[in-house]
Amino acid sequence: MPLSPRETSKASETSEPSAEAQDFASGGDPADGSLILHTTDNGVAWITLNRPKSLNAITADQRERLISHFGRASADSAVRAVVLTATGKGFCAGADLRSAPAAATAERVPGDVARTIREGAQRLISAVLDCEKPVIAAVNGVAAGLGAHLALACDLVLAAESARFIEVFVRRGLVPDGGGAYLLPRLVGPHRAKELMFFGDALAATEAERFGLVNRVVPDGDLAATARAWAQRVALGPTRALALTKQLVNASLDSDRTAAFAAEAAAQEINMATADATEGVAAFVERRTPVFRGR
């Protein structure tokens, strides 16, 4: 089982970094062990970013491992919910821009940057959005740039009181990537999205909750337990119905009413053939609590 934020913060010897230090954190952490911690418990897959000294800035290798884990969670019938969290004092400081210094100084060929974004950050965000199991982000610290978008792509977002969300791209003279300009307006509206992206200010967890970016803010020491409780509750639900519901909600943001209604009817058709739907109706008729098996 992944360490709780309280346990990992005790394990880290670094002091609480400033927003500016978090902004530019990067570099390899060979002593950190595995870049990604992964375990499955009671139907919940825990995926934990594990580069605490760099505030979990994402390397290319780490990104590919994350994409693989989300793909396997979708296909594994034993997995019925996913929790994404991190070790140390940061959730994710964004992409590790210093992990491939040679690439940064090499002469660029037109199309290289767009290809890198498509095959990198956008694939990662898509892996979360397309995961067929509910994904809960347990944000234990700073979530900046791609790290913020990684959290916001999840279906439910829990944040520790110490968490911060930063649209850091403007500080580096960059355009937001990793689906930021897609995700943020849909969550907070275009004016709030532009405010966050134009200024790049750190948004406290309580403000992120007020904006609608976060479902719940909890004390730091309660984050792991709350994430576990939410994940277990989701894991006991009708897994296929939840997957179809996730697809409907995500697709509705890009659909007109006709397309959304057609998708809803098709999802109902598919779901009514599942064992969980049969169990749910039977339990209602029999006035008992349903027991869903995820099938």
Side-chain angles (χ1 to χ4, degrees):
M1 182 65 61
L3 295 175
S4 70
R6 176 181 294 174
E7 292 167 328
T8 53
S9 64
K10 288 180 179 178
S12 174
E13 297 297 327
T14 59
S15 60
E16 182 68 30
S18 66
E20 288 71 23
Q22 294 167 338
D23 181 358
F24 296 101
S26 65
D29 294 324
D32 284 348
S34 176
L35 294 174
I36 303 290
L37 305 178
H38 179 264
T39 186
T40 300
D41 180 61
N42 289 329
V44 179
W46 289 77
I47 302 174
T48 306
L49 306 178
N50 188 39
R51 295 183 72 219
K53 292 180 182 177
S54 62
L55 296 171
N56 296 299
I58 296 177
T59 64
D61 182 58
Q62 195 176 25
R63 180 193 69 226
E64 294 305 310
R65 294 188 195 191
L66 284 169
I67 292 170
S68 177
H69 281 310
F70 282 113
R72 287 203 294 269
S74 284
D76 188 350
S77 61
V79 173
R80 299 174 65 183
V82 179
V83 175
L84 176 65
T85 190
T87 59
K89 293 180 178 294
F91 176 75
C92 178
D96 188 343
L97 299 181
R98 300 179 188 173
S99 61
T105 58
E107 183 178 353
R108 292 194 181 96
V109 175
D112 281 353
V113 173
R115 187 179 307 106
T116 298
I117 295 299
R118 286 195 305 269
E119 296 178 357
Q122 290 178 354
R123 282 181 58 239
L124 175 57
I125 299 304
S126 293
V128 180
L129 292 171
D130 295 339
C131 182
E132 296 179 21
K133 310 298 166 62
V135 183
I136 299 171
V139 183
N140 54 296
V142 67
L146 178 60
H149 302 164
L150 183 60
L152 300 180
C154 295
D155 302 302
L156 300 170
V157 182
L158 296 170
E161 289 177 340
S162 64
R164 299 291 184 272
F165 297 82
I166 311 172
E167 285 297 314
V168 75
F169 299 95
V170 69
R171 299 186 184 185
R172 298 167 181 164
L174 300 175
V175 172
D177 64 26
Y182 173 85
L183 293 167
L184 274 173
R186 286 163 171 76
L187 292 169
V188 300
H191 289 117
R192 286 289 197 190
K194 290 171 187 174
E195 177 186 345
L196 294 172
M197 290 178 167
F198 285 4
F199 296 127
D201 294 333
L203 192 68
T206 52
E207 283 295 284
E209 183 181 31
R210 185 173 67 84
F211 277 27
L213 295 174
V214 168
N215 292 91
R216 189 77 54 83
V217 176
V218 299
D220 287 27
D222 294 342
L223 181 65
T226 305
R228 186 173 293 108
W230 280 38
Q232 284 297 319
R233 185 174 178 182
V234 172
L236 291 174
T239 307
R240 293 308 305 161
L242 292 177
L244 291 165
T245 301
K246 173 176 178 173
Q247 291 175 12
L248 286 174
V249 173
N250 288 350
S252 73
L253 300 173
D254 302 312
S255 303
D256 58 25
R257 185 183 69 182
T258 301
F261 278 23
E264 178 183 88
Q268 290 285 12
E269 180 75 25
I270 293 169
N271 188 67
M272 287 307 295
T274 66
D276 279 348
T278 301
E279 164 64 10
V281 173
F284 173 77
V285 172
E286 298 167 10
R287 297 185 179 183
R288 60 178 174 81
T289 301
V291 179
F292 297 121
R293 303 296 184 186
R295 295 176 174 81

